[in-house]
Amino acid sequence: MSVYEAKVVLQDSVGLHARPAALVVQEANKFKCTIRVSKEGGREVDGKSILGIMSLNAGRGATVTIRAEGEDAHEAIVHIVALLTGTLEGEGDSVVRKE
Amino acid sequence: MYRRATPRTQARTCTSVEAELARFRRAAAQAKEQLYEVQGRALSVAGEDTAAIFQAQQMILEDPTLLDAVEDQIRAGLDAEAALVQEIDRLAAMLAGLDGSYLRERASDVRDVGLRVLRLLTGIEEDSLPVSDSPIIVVAQDLSPSETAQLDRSVVLGFAIAKGGITSHTAILARGFGIPAVVGLGDSLLNEVPDGACVILDGGAGLLIVDPDAVTLDHYLHKIRLLAQREADASEVQTPGMTRDGHRIQVVANIGDVASVEQALALGAEGVGLLRTEFLFLDRKDLPDEDEQYLVYRALGTALGSRPLVIRTLDIGGDKPLPYLDLGQEANPSLGFRAIRVSLAYPELLKTQLRAILRAAVDADIKVMFPMVVTLDELQAVRECLEEARTELKRRGMACAESIEVGVMVEVPAAALTIPILARRVDFFSLGTNDLIQYTLAVDRNNERLGYLWDPLQPAVLYLIKKAIDDAHREGKWVGLCGEMASDLDAVPLLLGMGLDEFSVNPVAIPKVKALIRSLAFHDMQDLVERALQLPTAAAIRALVRETVVN
């Protein structure tokens, strides 16, 4: 079982609200693995739940941790990090294999 | 007056858990279908941002956080209605309890979704929103996004509600659908407005005027006519620059400060063709640092979205003294130490600006343009500065644009005559005709005694511009024009016929330039240019233009 984790500082002007939240959830739902998201050491929410993501109340500048667990975990986390950072390079390096 | 009927949940004799689960799933699926339809309607009428509200609502209906919780409650013995109401209340309260007005508004989305499912469960049809044959203004405690989207625009002129803020989805929808609305008028609203009263809704001022007197009514009737006229003009303004026969022209703005960009966009600018950066440097005691410049360029890039922004590097000379930079006094400033000549003498100043531009260009369509370039050597030198600026940023680990379009302003006949040489190191040209005309004719435009000489339609000027455009196109480069000539309605038909790609004008001139371009056919203007260039004087050329074109 592969587990990957990435930390991302949110740059978008509204953080993980509204559109970005919806996009992350849509992306997460494309993958089989479980995806958990948390904000700066707070509680984890389901990355496939828009209500969960919105309840993080992660605004601009917040650091969120994404944890993916399952066979397509690496692909999932790379896509979600890319979505959040708006780039497929750079911050994508922050993806770390945990197990 | 509209009062929403909330379906009552009645104690029902519970059937089997499985049957309740099935009822709930069916209602949720139906609600999703309805929302999908509303989303489609919103997309075609109001655009993507508005439609996204209903897409988000569909996602709430697919959300395991909600669905699993409701189903758990049903399994624990509640009926579908009670389980739904309980979980919707819990989730909405949770969102409403978080910091930030944004999330409080999202709580109302959760409630809107819940209400929709509840109506389907109880079989109570959607509330009948006010039905009327004559135009009405809806006054209500609150309107949900669903209700707002469903307002019959043929009779509902607008609405006023007690609840809501400007970031509420109801307000966003109203803007998206173009429905005049005033929100957040306070809970006493319904008591203060009698049903059937004559009211004036002023969305701009956030006013609902009940029983207006004759003077107020007249004032507003006049305003309505005025706005209707302006709207008719504005709808034309936002169409892209194009000739009658479909030849595409970019009409962009010249700006010299941050505030003008909004005005330019409102007037239909398709981008900024010339950002004069002098405003950052004048009227201050010290040089603006890289970060300060970066923030300004970035803000402009953001305001422009995907539209292009051409930034001209500092264009300064002995005639505009800077307290922190002694350029000395010169006998002949316009032929002296100015523009790129100053920049190359103070490369750190230029590089600071270039670093700020490269950083801002990461997420905006920013191009850089150098003023008063005359030779290829100058161009090589500024190119080297640009590379050094990029290297410095990379060394600092900062994001910067990997590639950026580089242009030069063609302001000196020497440049206009050597386009094929300069084209080796540039991506585009912008004709700076204010200077180009002055240098071509050796006339100071401000010298009143020489007024008879200063004319953009002088054959020499037109020959030079025609040659420059032809040469640039032969080298595969695009050409803009950012002098006042681009908004001279006698010159526009000729520039169009010469194949100019971009007209960069003061924001206020954009509507008239676009309107003129729209009325012309590209092929006719090519013929016009051919005939005009055979005439001996500016006056004859002007007469020909005016008899060919209604401008």
Side-chain angles (χ1 to χ4, degrees):
Chain A
M1 186 66 70
S2 48
V3 180
Y4 287 88
E5 207 174 273
K7 266 193 178 39
V8 173
V9 181
L10 299 176
Q11 306 286 357
D12 194 282
S13 59
V14 285
L16 257 185
H17 297 153
R19 291 292 281 282
L23 291 174
V24 166
V25 172
Q26 278 174 340
E27 195 62 36
N29 274 304
K30 291 180 189 163
F31 298 95
K32 288 200 205 88
C33 59
T34 61
I35 295 168
R36 314 286 298 172
V37 183
S38 60
K39 184 177 78 170
E40 281 148 74
R43 97 206 131 80
E44 278 194 337
V45 300
D46 184 351
K48 298 182 178 182
S49 158
I50 189 158
L51 293 165
I53 298 279
M54 288 203 298
S55 73
L56 282 180
N57 200 12
R60 183 193 173 134
T63 305
V64 295
T65 304
I66 302 141
R67 195 178 157 86
E69 190 169 342
E71 51 176 308
D72 52 2
H74 184 258
E75 205 191 341
I77 206 157
V78 167
H79 276 84
I80 291 170
V81 169
L83 194 63
L84 288 174
T85 56
T87 165
L88 272 166
E89 43 191 350
E91 313 233 4
D93 299 341
S94 59
V95 174
V96 179
R97 177 155 194 168
K98 288 287 181 182
E99 280 165 39
Chain B
M1 190 77 53
Y2 169 59
R3 290 189 168 83
R4 179 190 300 143
T6 304
R8 288 251 160 251
T9 53
Q10 287 160 355
R12 299 169 61 255
T13 40
C14 217
T15 50
S16 72
V17 166
E18 281 313 313
E20 283 302 291
L21 285 174
R23 277 182 68 226
F24 169 65
R25 288 173 190 154
R26 205 176 322 123
Q30 277 176 335
K32 238 172 75 182
E33 258 171 51
Q34 288 182 353
L35 283 168
Y36 183 73
E37 273 172 39
V38 182
Q39 183 195 348
R41 192 148 38 95
L43 186 63
S44 62
V45 179
E48 216 171 296
D49 286 344
T50 308
I53 292 170
F54 295 104
Q55 193 187 8
Q57 289 201 354
Q58 288 169 66
M59 293 178 71
I60 291 172
L61 270 176
E62 291 164 2
D63 196 321
T65 309
L66 172 67
L67 299 183
D68 294 352
V70 173
E71 295 197 0
D72 283 350
Q73 294 294 348
I74 293 175
R75 287 196 189 92
L78 288 183
D79 64 19
E81 287 89 341
L84 176 72
V85 169
Q86 183 178 322
E87 287 310 310
I88 289 285
D89 277 350
R90 189 179 63 79
L91 286 166
M94 183 267 292
L95 286 176
L98 295 167
D99 282 345
S101 62
Y102 183 82
L103 285 165
R104 282 198 293 279
E105 298 292 355
R106 298 305 70 84
S108 70
D109 277 326
V110 173
R111 292 191 188 284
D112 197 23
V113 169
L115 199 56
R116 186 179 286 275
V117 180
L118 194 57
R119 283 180 179 139
L120 287 162
L121 278 173
T122 54
I124 294 176
E125 286 299 305
E126 295 238 5
D127 280 337
S128 46
L129 277 154
V131 177
S132 165
D133 295 332
S134 51
I136 53 165
I137 288 168
V138 174
V139 177
Q141 182 69 14
D142 195 6
L143 288 175
S144 71
S146 306
E147 288 161 339
T148 310
Q150 172 201 314
L151 290 172
D152 178 359
R153 295 284 282 121
S154 63
V155 287
V156 177
L157 299 175
F159 65 83
I161 56 177
K163 300 270 185 207
I166 51 164
T167 61
S168 68
H169 274 170
T170 302
I172 293 169
L173 276 166
R175 278 195 291 273
F177 282 106
I179 307 172
V182 178
V183 302
L185 284 173
D187 285 338
S188 61
L189 175 68
L190 293 198
N191 301 327
E192 286 169 12
V193 188
D195 216 347
C198 171
V199 294
I200 293 172
L201 183 79
D202 182 348
L207 291 175
L208 182 75
I209 302 167
V210 185
D211 284 329
D213 57 31
V215 177
T216 312
L217 201 56
D218 267 357
H219 167 74
Y220 274 98
L221 286 174
H222 178 66
K223 198 168 168 181
I224 285 169
R225 280 192 296 272
L226 216 68
L227 287 176
Q229 182 56 44
R230 201 176 299 165
E231 207 169 291
D233 296 346
S235 63
E236 287 258 284
V237 149
Q238 295 299 340
T239 58
M242 193 179 283
T243 61
R244 192 151 51 82
D245 52 348
H247 181 69
R248 183 80 171 83
I249 299 289
Q250 293 273 339
V251 182
V252 293
N254 295 339
I255 62 172
D257 57 54
V258 177
S260 304
V261 73
E262 291 302 329
Q263 184 205 12
L265 288 174
L267 289 167
E270 299 177 73
V272 167
L274 169 64
L275 172 68
R276 303 184 190 93
T277 53
E278 291 75 61
F279 74 96
L280 282 163
F281 295 82
L282 297 169
D283 300 322
R284 54 187 292 156
K285 293 194 180 63
D286 50 3
L287 278 166
D289 66 17
E290 179 188 318
D291 282 343
E292 181 182 345
Q293 293 190 51
Y294 162 69
L295 289 173
V296 169
Y297 303 148
R298 197 191 131 108
L300 286 165
T302 306
L304 285 165
S306 60
R307 301 175 188 88
L309 166 62
V310 178
I311 301 178
R312 181 180 69 187
T313 60
L314 184 60
D315 184 6
I316 208 120
D319 54 335
K320 292 178 214 157
L322 297 179
Y324 46 83
L325 193 68
D326 183 15
L327 299 177
Q329 292 281 324
E330 294 187 315
N332 207 342
S334 66
L335 299 181
F337 188 54
R338 50 173 295 197
I340 197 69
R341 302 166 183 183
V342 173
S343 295
L344 288 174
Y346 296 91
E348 282 314 313
L349 194 96
L350 178 63
K351 277 195 275 179
T352 303
Q353 186 168 30
L354 292 175
R355 285 195 303 271
I357 293 172
L358 284 169
R359 283 169 63 189
V362 169
D363 43 16
D365 182 7
I366 290 177
K367 311 174 201 301
V368 62
M369 175 162 83
F370 298 98
M372 220 189 167
V373 169
V374 176
T375 68
L376 188 62
D377 289 341
E378 285 172 326
L379 198 47
Q380 299 277 41
V382 294
R383 279 278 193 183
E384 273 162 34
C385 284
L386 190 62
E387 280 320 306
E388 282 166 31
R390 187 177 283 129
T391 308
E392 284 160 20
L393 286 173
K394 286 200 167 157
R395 198 177 305 133
R396 272 158 40 193
M398 304 196 72
C400 63
E402 281 306 321
S403 66
I404 187 166
E405 272 191 60
V406 172
V408 295
M409 280 189 81
V410 177
E411 298 172 275
V412 182
L417 290 168
T418 54
I419 295 278
I421 296 173
L422 298 176
R424 294 179 200 179
R425 299 307 307 272
V426 299
D427 303 301
F428 67 94
F429 295 95
S430 188
L431 301 165
T433 43
N434 295 359
D435 274 332
L436 187 61
I437 295 169
Q438 131 163 325
Y439 292 134
T440 302
L441 302 173
V443 173
D444 177 354
R445 177 160 68 141
N446 299 319
N447 188 327
E448 286 168 17
R449 294 158 81 179
L450 303 179
Y452 67 98
L453 276 173
W454 203 95
D455 192 326
L457 300 192
Q458 285 281 8
V461 174
L462 294 178
Y463 289 160
L464 200 58
I465 290 176
K466 170 100 174 24
K467 177 177 166 49
I469 295 175
D470 285 346
D471 286 352
H473 283 173
R474 212 168 288 126
E475 301 292 333
K477 314 294 178 184
W478 64 269
V479 188
L481 194 155
C482 58
E484 274 161 42
M485 189 177 178
S487 54
D488 178 332
L489 298 188
D490 291 329
V492 168
L494 295 167
L495 295 170
L496 191 63
M498 291 179 190
L500 189 72
D501 301 290
E502 178 217 68
F503 289 69
S504 194
V505 302
N506 285 336
V508 290
I510 291 171
K512 66 173 187 182
V513 171
K514 267 194 184 172
L516 177 57
I517 290 174
R518 250 197 311 278
S519 74
L520 302 174
F522 181 50
H523 287 293
D524 296 347
M525 295 309 106
Q526 288 177 309
D527 294 344
L528 175 70
V529 169
E530 220 159 89
R531 283 185 288 148
L533 292 183
Q534 289 164 18
L535 296 172
T537 63
I541 293 171
R542 192 176 307 279
L544 174 69
V545 171
R546 289 189 180 171
E547 88 196 20
T548 313
V549 169
V550 183
N551 53 4

